Amino acid sequence: MPITGSFAGNRYFGVNSFIFTTKNGQTVPGRWFFEPTDSAKVLTSLELSKLSDDFLQTEMLSRIKAQPAIWKLYVQLAQPEDEINDPTALWPTSRERVLIGQVIIDGLRGSDSAVKQCGASIFNPVLLPQGISPSADPILHARTPAYVESLVRRF
């Protein structure tokens, strides 16, 4: 992948599968991904050499003062032949994708106490909202203990 000048112009993919429950109670496995609403500017080697190591963070903080960074949140739906318990298994790009929401980073809640405490907590990939449950992927279930260990080592 080429190096871009902003987090806001990049696509983000989940490699683990989750089980999504529809309004009528049907379950379907899928993987989430984020599509940026802004296009990515690819940096040349020369441009990259002139930037600081934290240029992406600096750019994002500057960006959200002027405009939010926005991604569309999609779920790519699995077909019966797709392996859902192996995060290394590739699915065809032709699989149906469903737009389920968006992520907006605008910095407006940056002073909230929950945001300030973010560094003292872990991301738990199996702590999910109603309607989404983890697949049986053993890698997905190994992530939480690894994140706990990471938190312990930071303090």
Side-chain angles (χ1 to χ4, degrees):
M1 297 292 295
I3 297 173
T4 63
S6 176
F7 286 127
N10 288 317
R11 299 172 80 197
Y12 297 93
F13 301 87
V15 296
N16 302 110
S17 298
F18 295 88
I19 309 302
F20 297 86
T21 303
T22 65
K23 290 180 183 179
N24 64 5
Q26 178 186 5
T27 59
V28 60
R31 292 177 176 162
W32 59 262
F33 67 96
F34 299 92
E35 284 283 347
T37 58
D38 286 344
S39 59
K41 178 191 181 301
V42 176
L43 299 175
T44 66
S45 296
L46 179 61
E47 289 171 318
L48 185 59
S49 71
K50 295 177 182 179
L51 296 171
S52 66
D53 289 344
D54 64 349
F55 76 93
L56 288 170
Q57 177 183 1
T58 303
E59 189 280 337
M60 180 62 92
L61 293 173
S62 174
R63 167 188 293 271
I64 62 175
K65 288 179 182 174
Q67 67 183 34
I70 303 172
W71 294 264
K72 293 179 180 179
L73 174 55
Y74 290 92
V75 172
Q76 182 184 32
L77 303 179
Q79 292 297 306
E81 64 271 21
D82 293 329
E83 175 56 58
I84 65 168
N85 295 320
D86 178 358
T88 66
L90 298 177
W91 298 352
T93 56
S94 60
R95 294 292 180 252
E96 179 183 2
R97 32 185 243 170
V98 177
L99 178 63
I100 63 168
Q102 65 179 194
V103 172
I104 300 172
I105 299 177
D106 58 15
L108 297 179
R109 296 186 56 200
S111 62
D112 288 3
S113 63
V115 173
K116 289 181 177 182
Q117 294 173 7
C118 187
S121 61
I122 67 162
F123 169 68
N124 185 346
V126 295
L127 181 60
L128 299 162
Q130 184 176 354
I132 305 173
S133 56
S135 66
D137 175 358
I139 300 298
L140 176 61
H141 292 277
R143 290 174 61 191
T144 300
Y147 295 157
V148 169
E149 181 65 22
S150 173
L151 177 69
V152 168
R153 291 180 184 211
R154 285 192 305 234
F155 293 100

